[in-house]
Every structure is written in C-alpha cells, then in structure tokens.
Amino acid sequence: MCCSDPSNKKPENEPKVSIDWSKVLVSRDEFLKLVGVTCAGFIGLIVAIPAVGFAFEYFLVPRKEDWIKVGPVGQYEVGKTVDVVFTDTTGTPWDGVCAKRTAWLRRVDEGSFEAFAVNCTHLGCPVRWEAGAELFMCPCHGGVYYSDGNVAGGPPPRPLHKYPTRIAKGQVEIKVGPVLTES
Ligand code: FES
C-alpha cells in the first residue's frame, strides 16, 4: 500500500455511472427486423447485379454486326434450299458452341440468295425444309411456311425471320447481328 500512486485513487465524491442496458441493446423484435432488412437487401443486390449488367450491355454497349462466309456461290444450285451452319461472331467470347447457328439458304437466281432463321416465329421450334413439297414445316404445332418464308398455314404469326445476304468475292455471306429482318 505504501507504493500505490495517489493519482490513481478515485475521488470519493465521483458520481457513479450507471448504464441503462435496455437502451443500449436492441430488443429481439428490433434485432429480427434488422436481420430481415439485411437479408432482403442482400437478396435484392444479388438479383439487381445481373439485371444492371444486362441493362448496361443492352443499352450502352454498341450492337455488333458481321458478314459471315457460308461458301462459294458455285456450290449452291439455283432454286434449291439447303441448311448452312456458321459461327456467329457477334456474341461474347464465352458463347462457345452456343455461337453455332444454322440457317436455311436458298439460291433464288444466279445473283441472289435468301437466308432464313430456322426458328419458327410461333414458339421458336426449328423448322425443317421439305424439298418435295417446297415448304418449311414446323414439327411443334404444324406451322407451315412457303419457300420464301411467308406463312402458309398454322399458328405462326409472322413469316420466318430473314438474314440479309450478299455475294462478295465469289462467296455467299450472311449478315449476323442482334436483330433479324422479316420477310
Ligand atoms: S412453334 Fe412452330 S407452330 Fe408452334
């Protein structure tokens, strides 16, 4: 006791500090509310991030277009419709096999081609070309299209979507991009 520092000694008349813990701690209801709001905010963030990313890409990133070669003009017969497979180069690097596309290509005459998207304009099933009947048939609900892509019967509301085509340096090219034109 002889060595204790007198400055550490509490003055005897110092007021006692009492803490009202009921005001410091949150109640169970408030705590649960806080947890609920935090979880809802977190879930909202998880949902919002992809949506914001999509909106950013859709509205601010310029849409790409490209002409894709699908073979020399001479390999296609006038009046014949055949399927062509190509890689859509306007997508993203991680598209992988999803960048593979098929189109129905028709050589209309010596100098012009028509290319149709394979997807039915009703609900998107792939249509097949029936050479004997000269019709595109949809296997899902019986949609039928003429050789020029116009609707011949069934539920499709619109003609088949068309890709623009051109001939460049002896090659047939199909224009790919985000929006296809209709017949
Ligand atoms: S998806 Fe082709 S007719 Fe329905």
Side-chain angles (χ1 to χ4, degrees), residues 119-127 137-145 153-156:
N119 301 96
C120 179
T121 56
H122 180 221
L123 293 177
C125 291
V127 298
M137 314 284 277
C138 178
C140 291
H141 314 103
V144 183
Y145 302 84

